[in-house]
Amino acid sequence: MSNQEIQRISVIGAGQMGHQIAMLSALGGFTTAIQDVNEASLEKAKSTLEGIMNKWVAKGKLTEDAKEAAFHRLTFTTDLEKAVKDTDFVIEAIVEKLEVKRAVFQELDKLAPDHAILASNSSTIVNSLIAEVTNRPEKIVNMHFFFPPLVMDCVEVVVSEQTSEETAELTMQVSKKMNRTAVLLKREISGFIANRILGALQREAVYLYENGYADYQDIDIICKKALNHPIGPFELMDLSGLDVGYYVMQQRYAESGDPADKPYACVEEKVLAGDLGRKTGRGWYEYTKKA
């Protein structure tokens, strides 16, 4: 298959990552289906994208015609079979839990055409753990976008020993057509590159906080003012979603058995309380609707 033959892309999951990845696909010229089991999530995704694209038009980042063309290429559905029956490329963007992803990939393997590539937007789970439940391991790949995808210009494309060179090449080409800088990683490791580096910073920040060396707000200030980071580690947890980080650490601990990989007690407390960051209005910080 050549890149020219990839015309249809399906995005599974309309959450904070999926709906923006779908818009990148539509803006890149692909006929795009976004699927979610929750109709309300699809409605919210559509409304959110309309708001973002209208702002882009107002700021001159996008023409009105280009916006209309992108939405014309984008469809929303709760029907998984309908979303993938004619697809060339699937991007899964659901909850960061291995057993859930494996179940979805089993279904995708049955419903998607044999030639279709199945990519995971997982931020930590290597694709070989998912590929083993499919009959197409050579067509399974990680395609990790960063939050928020419409802003962050990077994609980590990670291959396993079973991923074919053609799959890797096509995924890189699709990323380019989506106007994103892709980096090909030819060796698997949980968390990939960016999140392992961020995780090391976050781990030290939480250690300093939990052991009373500094308050989380002061740690954020120091990282921004002394290290010139655009956002502090605790602010970043709130932006990404505390539950996302929590599930990532649960998965890494399940793989490694290393106590150092266990979710932080202070994060677990907030997740269990439902304080997940910006999306719930409260995490490490409190957020008004306007913010």
Side-chain angles (χ1 to χ4, degrees), residues 74-174:
L74 187 59
T75 58
F76 300 79
T77 181
T78 58
D79 189 330
L80 183 61
E81 182 175 5
K82 180 180 178 182
V84 304
K85 66 178 182 179
D86 297 319
T87 197
D88 301 312
F89 199 104
V90 178
I91 303 172
E92 166 271 314
I94 62 172
V95 66
E96 196 72 356
K97 292 186 176 182
L98 177 59
E99 64 275 15
V100 180
K101 291 184 185 293
R102 284 165 65 99
V104 167
F105 270 75
Q106 277 187 312
E107 285 299 303
L108 292 173
D109 191 42
K110 296 174 186 175
L111 298 174
D114 291 340
H115 72 270
I117 290 170
L118 308 182
S120 175
N121 178 56
S122 173
S123 60
T124 189
I125 299 171
V126 294
N127 71 77
S128 59
L129 294 177
I130 299 171
E132 62 188 30
V133 302
T134 75
N135 294 308
R136 60 180 93 192
E138 75 285 355
K139 295 185 179 296
I140 311 298
V141 68
N142 286 102
M143 190 181 189
H144 177 217
F145 293 80
F146 291 84
F147 182 75
L150 283 167
V151 176
M152 300 298 288
D153 177 25
C154 189
V155 177
E156 290 176 323
V157 175
V158 191
V159 301
S160 71
E161 292 182 355
Q162 293 177 292
T163 308
S164 70
E165 290 186 10
E166 180 186 42
T167 294
E169 180 184 348
L170 287 169
T171 306
M172 294 290 286
Q173 291 176 3
V174 167

